[in-house]
Amino acid sequence: MGPESVVVTRTPVMLSRVADSLYWMSRYLERAKHTARVVDVHLDLMLDQPESVAKQHREYLLAGFQLPTEFGSAKDDYELTRWLTFEANNPNSIASCIAAARQNARQLREQISTEIWQQINQLYHYMEQVEMDAMWSAEPREFYQNVKEGIHLFIRLTDSTRSHGQGYHFIQTGRFLERAVATAMLMDAYFAPEENLPKETVESHLVGEQLIWTALLRTCTAFEAYSKIYTAELNGRHILEFLLLDQEFPHSLAYAVRHVQLSLQSIADITKSTRAERAYRRAGRLQADLQYGQVDEVLESGLHNYLKSVENSCLQIHEAIYQTYITYPVMV
Amino acid sequence: MSRMTSTQSQQQTMVTTELRSPANPTATGQSSNPFGAPFEHYALSAAYDEMFSAPDASRPQYTMLHGRLRELPLETLERRQLAADRTFMHQGITFTVYSDNRGTERIFPYDLLPRIITGAEWDIIERGLTQRIRAINLFLHDIYHEQQILNDRVVPKELVLSCKHYRTEMQGLAAPRQIYTSVVGTDLIRMPDGSFAVLEDNLRVPSGVSYMLANRRVMKRVFPNVFRNYGVRSIDHYGRALLASLRALAPADVENPTIVLLTPGIYNSAYFEHTFLAREMGIPLVEGRDLLVHNDRIYMRTTSGLHQVDVIYRRIDDDFIDPKVFRKDSVLGVPGLFDVYRKGNVAVANAIGNGVADDKAVYAYIPRIIKYYLDEDPIVHNVETYLLDDPKQRSHVLENLSKLVVKAVGESGGYGMLIGPHSTKEEQENFRRQIVANPRNYIAQPTISLSCAPCFVEGQLEPRHVDLRPFVLYGEAINIVPGGLTRVALRRGSLVVNSSQGGGSKDTWVLSQ
């Protein structure tokens, strides 16, 4: 048990619906932030690359979002950007996610601090103002910077203006569960092509490969943290090890899952729910796996299968949370 | 009691529309304006002006504000107005307008200048409303028990029993402490002679108090220097006072009652207010789907299991509160809630069936109701009201439709209303047919010119009509927070202050002196 689990709340009851909205508000903002980073890094890196490289990278990204195939590779950067950022028919576009987060925040307006609400509300109105063409022809990077900063501010505000009780832990659970799933999907996309799978040796050769790894690390805001450990020499094996198993880096799978598990433990302690075990045991099992896992074992059993099983475990944790705290049956 | 004749009010309305100043017809030049520089386009009319008793004389309580305004460049006012609007938008202090299928969020327009009420004026309002609410609660209890007032023929039995908000289900049911109206929002208007009169009692789910509180907070932020030293009485304790009123309804043996606010949800136009009040009181904001009935008790579904609820401050109309008893198609309410209420296992505020006492035809009888139960004369008067199922009054009204205001008795929000002097022949004919078909459903009143207050509109200070809605709480005692929502008819010459019809609001200052 971490220090987070020692929590005393003044108001012990929380509506199931409120827990649900806190969880989704947080998940949607995490999702928006992830997408903003993906697009931002892509646009930046592809500025000085030929269209063939950009096209290949777009395919990774589309795979990483598990977007329908009809969206396809024929589209250009403009279309990709528009679809991921503004498209109302894409429920995972940044605009859709921020609108959904705000809708959830409205549901629990009396539960979150005024500062948190104002931050989400301002971000929503900012998105409403910006138009694709104006953004595209002006400074896209500044726009994505604003979105990311807006969401970071939300995270800081939840840390500092809200008591770290049950609600905080539902926010944390939503954030880290979303991060774990998104990171697993992204890694699966980047490592899917045979030639990208880590080789026996730890050397890298291709310039194109370096570019791909830069993109992956930067999308996970991991470039600098990675370099501090492995130097700026990029190779797939080290990257895999870092993003999968590093215990201290906030965007690694191991870190995200550990925080899901810690928060679920805290929620169980606070609610004293008799059904709580189901949710945090699932998280605990996945967490132990990532804590004691080795890259070689993972590669041996097949990286794709491994990442799929992580995604699947996350889905099961999500369902267990619902069955325990939100949609539990009542005998009437 | 003062009222004006309809001819006077019609004239007066025309005058406001054209914005001439009958009191000072030559005052059109900029430099010679007696009101002072920012009031270049200001003009008095036959309506009571809140700030000026004459073009060159502001009322004593406004002197300091008027002095400040004369010094302020219009650009400064403009800047502060923008700052205030931004604050409302960022805080999400919005209401939802449904013009098509999707609702649009708008800020409730806020006017920069405060409306000031003196301590002496407030004293009359406070005593008058306390008297009125006491009588109304006695009336409701009587109506739903022995019906003495009907048997004594003070109020016609037919009138009460035919009211669509009369609920037979409430008959014989004991409301906790015999309090039916924990929260009332009474609409007052100021008559041309300066006295206040009641236009409407809102006894069901009155709204607007969050704007009263939000307006004050914004005022303190954008005009701190004007606010300071003015001796304005505080309204900050409203949330605590409301909580105390709700707690008073809980069973005496429950030490820490669980009190919740029941909202229809985010699509309700007053949703902001529901979240605001829940936060002010520190109580859970619940929706119908969060509550369920189990063993004759109400529970809410929480992450740690079911939790019993003792008092429900409901912001859902009677019709929607329990689909088992009232409207079957309601998905907003709680099936079985009424049965638990009837058994006394949960308190509901306001009580169900209160609409029988704020029916616009029953309104006409309130002075007699006060006299009947309290043996007192009303301190604050009604507006003269014609009852249309009386043949004499009806024929008078039908002859004078172009001068009168006609209102449907069960409607609110400024809907179902004919304002004679502002209406077309066609609209009048339409109302004539409806009145003849269903006279009980309508009342008529003289077109009363609401008082005017200076407002900052399109970069100018101009007079606009205002009303006042104070909020009356009834718990251990009757308690009125000194203030209220001053609503403003922002359209030039308009007498309709409702937010759904282009109304805005102002901060309302009640002075300690």
Side-chain angles (χ1 to χ4, degrees):
Chain A
M1 266 187 246
E4 285 99 326
S5 59
V6 192
V7 177
V8 180
T9 48
R10 235 188 56 228
T11 47
V13 285
M14 166 168 286
L15 286 175
S16 300
R17 178 177 53 79
V18 165
D20 185 32
S21 289
L22 286 168
Y23 170 81
W24 276 110
M25 169 182 77
S26 177
R27 274 199 86 148
Y28 276 123
L29 285 178
E30 182 68 25
R31 193 172 294 177
K33 184 158 64 84
H34 176 78
T35 309
R37 266 199 321 267
V38 166
V39 181
D40 186 29
V41 168
H42 174 77
L43 292 181
D44 185 51
L45 285 182
M46 296 309 139
L47 272 183
D48 49 6
Q49 296 298 323
E51 170 57 22
S52 58
V53 177
K55 180 168 179 292
Q56 189 197 11
H57 192 243
R58 274 202 301 277
E59 277 161 18
Y60 289 167
L61 297 188
L62 293 170
F65 285 107
Q66 299 185 351
L67 284 173
T69 44
E70 72 265 21
F71 186 73
S73 52
K75 302 282 193 293
D76 53 13
D77 279 353
Y78 176 92
E79 258 313 288
L80 179 86
T81 302
R82 195 192 60 74
W83 174 266
L84 290 177
T85 309
F86 293 105
E87 176 59 53
N89 290 321
N90 174 6
N92 292 331
S93 72
I94 297 172
S96 299
C97 284
I98 288 175
R102 177 172 178 271
Q103 193 75 323
N104 276 287
R106 281 193 77 193
Q107 298 259 20
L108 35 87
R109 180 60 193 88
E110 89 291 2
Q111 289 284 331
I112 51 179
S113 70
T114 300
E115 289 84 356
I116 295 175
W117 163 249
Q118 287 193 20
Q119 181 53 28
I120 295 181
N121 201 36
Q122 280 184 45
L123 194 57
Y124 169 80
H125 287 302
Y126 175 68
M127 286 302 292
E128 290 279 285
Q129 278 166 25
V130 178
E131 279 174 2
M132 175 63 195
D133 287 343
M135 185 277 279
W136 185 254
S137 58
E139 290 186 68
R141 297 220 64 197
E142 189 183 309
F143 166 77
Y144 290 104
Q145 194 60 32
N146 288 341
V147 171
K148 286 185 293 179
E149 275 176 9
I151 298 171
H152 278 134
L153 191 51
F154 160 81
I155 295 170
R156 283 205 297 280
L157 288 169
T158 55
D159 283 345
S160 64
T161 67
R162 197 179 190 292
S163 75
H164 288 201
Q166 195 183 158
Y168 173 79
H169 290 295
F170 275 106
I171 290 176
Q172 291 283 92
T173 304
R175 170 178 310 147
F176 285 108
L177 201 56
E178 177 66 28
R179 188 176 292 175
V181 174
T183 309
M185 276 164 40
L186 191 73
M187 286 168 72
D188 198 17
Y190 273 86
F191 285 106
E194 191 64 29
E195 69 272 20
N196 283 2
L197 274 179
K199 315 291 186 299
E200 289 296 314
T201 62
V202 292
E203 287 154 45
S204 285
H205 327 277
L206 304 166
V207 179
E209 198 178 322
Q210 292 289 314
L211 186 78
I212 297 292
W213 294 140
T214 304
L216 175 59
L217 283 173
R218 279 185 49 190
T219 301
C220 296
T221 61
F223 192 83
E224 288 174 28
Y226 169 91
S227 302
K228 284 207 178 86
I229 298 176
Y230 301 97
T231 74
E233 198 176 299
L234 307 181
N235 78 70
R237 186 191 177 81
H238 285 163
I239 290 170
L240 181 62
E241 185 173 69
F242 187 68
L243 293 180
L244 203 57
L245 304 173
D246 192 274
Q247 299 295 315
E248 286 156 10
F249 179 64
H251 280 265
S252 78
L253 276 177
Y255 186 98
V257 170
R258 183 158 57 90
H259 278 73
V260 169
Q261 198 261 337
L262 285 173
S263 278
L264 286 177
Q265 181 71 59
S266 299
I267 294 168
D269 291 347
I270 296 165
T271 58
K272 302 190 178 61
S273 169
T274 50
R275 298 171 298 265
E277 216 183 311
R278 174 152 54 186
Y280 71 74
R281 221 178 34 205
R282 284 221 170 280
R285 202 180 296 154
L286 180 58
Q287 191 262 324
D289 206 35
L290 287 163
Q291 186 173 352
Y292 301 112
Q294 300 278 323
V295 178
D296 291 334
E297 288 167 19
V298 171
L299 285 172
E300 220 162 276
S301 66
L303 179 60
H304 174 72
N305 289 341
Y306 185 81
L307 291 171
K308 277 289 162 206
S309 81
V310 170
E311 275 176 52
N312 200 29
S313 297
C314 288
L315 182 65
Q316 285 172 2
I317 293 167
H318 167 85
E319 282 167 354
I321 292 170
Y322 264 65
Q323 284 158 14
T324 308
Y325 299 110
I326 297 167
T327 53
Y328 54 84
V330 178
M331 301 297 184
V332 182
Chain B
M1 172 166 170
S2 91
R3 51 180 99 100
M4 34 188 337
T5 69
S6 20
T7 357
Q8 263 178 333
S9 63
Q10 188 186 8
Q11 268 173 4
Q12 177 276 320
T13 315
M14 305 302 286
V15 169
T16 354
T17 312
E18 288 165 29
L19 277 175
R20 288 217 189 88
S21 171
N24 188 15
T26 55
T28 46
Q30 297 184 18
S31 50
S32 64
N33 187 311
F35 297 105
F39 290 88
E40 193 188 321
H41 292 88
Y42 206 81
L44 295 185
S45 65
Y48 183 91
D49 190 280
E50 296 282 337
M51 187 182 259
F52 298 101
S53 52
D56 51 358
S58 57
R59 300 184 191 280
Q61 70 271 29
Y62 279 97
T63 308
M64 194 155 53
L65 177 67
H66 185 217
R68 291 277 310 176
L69 286 173
R70 291 177 81 122
E71 296 160 14
L72 278 183
L74 284 170
E75 298 77 61
T76 309
L77 286 176
E78 188 78 60
R79 211 172 52 238
R80 295 195 181 164
Q81 182 73 56
L82 281 174
D85 290 349
R86 221 174 16 245
T87 309
F88 281 106
M89 199 66 186
H90 284 173
Q91 294 185 6
I93 305 180
T94 53
F95 67 97
T96 316
V97 182
Y98 295 95
S99 40
D100 43 56
N101 280 335
R102 67 186 276 258
T104 329
E105 276 176 53
R106 300 227 187 105
I107 61 168
F108 187 28
Y110 166 79
D111 185 71
L112 219 43
L113 306 184
R115 188 259 187 96
I116 305 177
I117 291 168
T118 64
E121 287 169 338
W122 181 253
D123 182 56
I124 298 173
I125 292 174
E126 195 171 34
R127 285 188 295 118
L129 295 186
T130 302
Q131 176 195 52
R132 194 173 176 100
I133 299 310
R134 270 177 65 211
I136 284 175
N137 277 274
L138 293 168
F139 174 68
L140 282 164
H141 179 79
D142 188 17
I143 288 298
Y144 287 122
H145 291 82
E146 290 79 26
Q147 303 192 334
Q148 274 169 5
I149 197 167
L150 306 184
N151 297 331
D152 289 343
R153 294 171 193 281
V154 175
V155 179
K157 191 171 237 165
E158 192 34 46
L159 183 77
V160 168
L161 302 187
S162 67
C163 174
K164 77 170 176 185
H165 297 296
Y166 169 75
R167 306 280 178 193
T168 47
E169 296 86 352
M170 284 296 288
Q171 206 62 48
L173 189 150
R177 288 177 173 235
Q178 303 189 9
I179 296 172
Y180 286 78
T181 66
S182 299
V183 189
V184 175
T186 308
D187 290 343
L188 298 172
I189 58 174
R190 207 202 272 264
M191 309 297 274
D193 72 351
S195 68
F196 283 94
V198 174
L199 190 63
E200 210 172 282
D201 301 288
N202 293 289
L203 309 173
R204 288 171 271 166
V205 279
S207 63
V209 76
S210 59
Y211 296 109
M212 168 180 96
L213 297 167
N215 285 354
R216 176 62 55 84
R217 284 171 201 178
V218 170
M219 171 61 79
K220 283 177 165 175
R221 184 182 256 193
V222 298
F223 261 142
N225 294 331
V226 184
F227 192 83
R228 201 174 292 137
N229 305 326
Y230 226 108
V232 180
R233 292 176 63 184
S234 171
I235 54 172
D236 258 2
H237 56 290
Y238 180 83
R240 283 193 303 281
L242 174 58
L243 184 63
S245 301
L246 297 170
R247 192 182 289 267
L249 299 181
D253 58 335
V254 180
E255 200 177 320
N256 275 313
T258 296
I259 303 168
V260 299
L261 194 158
L262 175 60
T263 174
I266 56 168
Y267 297 106
N268 186 270
S269 57
Y271 182 72
F272 162 72
E273 175 152 311
H274 307 160
T275 63
F276 183 94
L277 290 176
R279 230 154 29 97
E280 288 287 305
M281 291 188 280
I283 64 173
L285 180 69
V286 303
E287 296 180 16
R289 57 189 160 124
D290 297 322
L291 300 181
L292 55 96
V293 173
H294 183 55
N295 291 340
D296 288 335
R297 299 277 193 284
I298 300 281
Y299 291 90
M300 58 183 178
R301 181 187 275 277
T302 78
T303 54
S304 18
L306 298 185
H307 189 93
Q308 194 184 330
V309 172
D310 303 295
V311 181
I312 300 175
Y313 176 37
R314 52 93 176 219
R315 297 294 300 256
I316 294 184
D317 291 338
D318 288 0
D319 275 341
F320 295 96
I321 203 163
D322 181 354
K324 277 186 164 171
V325 180
F326 305 108
R327 272 179 65 163
K328 307 275 175 275
D329 59 339
S330 170
V331 290
L332 304 173
V334 186
L337 182 143
F338 190 80
D339 193 44
V340 179
Y341 177 53
R342 175 168 266 290
K343 289 179 171 138
N345 289 341
V346 71
V348 174
N350 286 345
I352 291 162
N354 281 0
V356 69
D358 67 12
D359 177 282
K360 289 186 173 72
V362 174
Y363 157 90
Y365 289 90
I366 298 283
R368 280 174 254 186
I369 288 171
I370 292 172
K371 187 78 185 163
Y372 180 81
Y373 292 108
L374 306 178
D375 194 25
E376 293 171 5
D377 292 321
I379 299 166
V380 178
H381 294 281
N382 262 13
V383 172
E384 186 187 9
T385 301
Y386 302 104
L387 294 169
L388 299 181
D389 47 3
D390 177 287
K392 248 200 197 142
Q393 297 187 41
R394 183 167 64 239
S395 68
H396 171 78
V397 167
L398 291 176
E399 279 161 33
N400 292 283
L401 275 181
S402 64
K403 299 170 190 161
L404 299 171
V405 173
V406 180
K407 296 173 179 173
V409 292
E411 299 285 337
S412 60
Y415 294 104
M417 196 158 109
L418 175 83
I419 301 179
H422 295 186
S423 65
T424 63
K425 279 274 167 260
E426 235 179 312
E427 287 163 341
Q428 290 169 25
E429 278 317 303
N430 191 16
F431 264 79
R432 181 190 305 280
R433 276 195 302 278
Q434 293 177 47
I435 290 168
V436 171
N438 188 1
R440 167 64 178 91
N441 200 36
Y442 295 91
I443 55 120
Q445 291 168 338
T447 307
I448 295 152
S449 180
L450 316 185
S451 60
C452 284
C455 294
F456 187 60
V457 188
E458 288 164 23
Q460 300 290 336
L461 290 173
E462 292 185 7
R464 287 292 183 271
H465 293 292
V466 295
D467 77 349
L468 173 64
R469 176 179 286 186
F471 293 90
V472 187
L473 299 174
Y474 193 174
E476 298 288 340
I478 290 176
N479 174 10
I480 313 175
V481 174
L485 181 66
T486 290
R487 297 186 296 175
V488 185
L490 282 174
R491 284 199 278 265
R492 183 176 296 176
S494 167
L495 293 168
V496 186
V497 294
N498 303 82
S499 57
S500 47
Q501 318 254 330
S505 73
K506 277 173 173 297
D507 189 19
T508 309
W509 295 1
V510 173
L511 306 184
S512 28
Q513 296 300 312

